[in-house]
Amino acid sequence: MELRLLVTFEKVATVLSFTRAAAELSYAQSSVTSQIRALESSLGAELFDRLGGRIRLTEAGERLLPYARRMIELAEEARAAVTGAEEPAGTLTVGTMESLTSYRLPRCWSSSTTATPRCGSRCAPPSATRPGRRCVRARTTSGS
């Protein structure tokens, strides 16, 4: 059972239209029809009743829909976990004058660290170009 077939099935089941599903997925309608037929063939069950110009889910389609949604959600979670696309992470280093470091940046940093907890930030005056020089640091990590 291919994920792309489940994505197509879920979209058709949601909008109850092969034409609208094709438009929303940027597929040709014939491609959506072929994918649904391939899924029905692999499962050995019809998923939609085709009633003239309308469709509705069969009992088998009703049973498959929550599983399809869970599988799609799990695939998206897995992709995000592997690629790190769920939220930004890393360290941002900003070189600026000490007056900005002390008076302007703390408010910006508090907003950004709340929005992106896996990101740390580091502020260094322009003169602090060598390792070991004193720097103002702000770090946050998830769960702290």
Side-chain angles (χ1 to χ4, degrees), residues 20 32 41 59 64-65 80 90 137:
R20 281 186 35 214
V32 169
S41 176
E59 283 185 37
L64 178 61
L65 186 56
R137 290 180 181 249

Side-chain angles (χ1 to χ4, degrees), residues 39-51:
L39 184 58
E40 288 174 330
S41 176
S42 75
L43 293 172
E46 287 192 13
L47 301 172
F48 293 97
D49 283 326
R50 289 136 174 106
L51 311 165

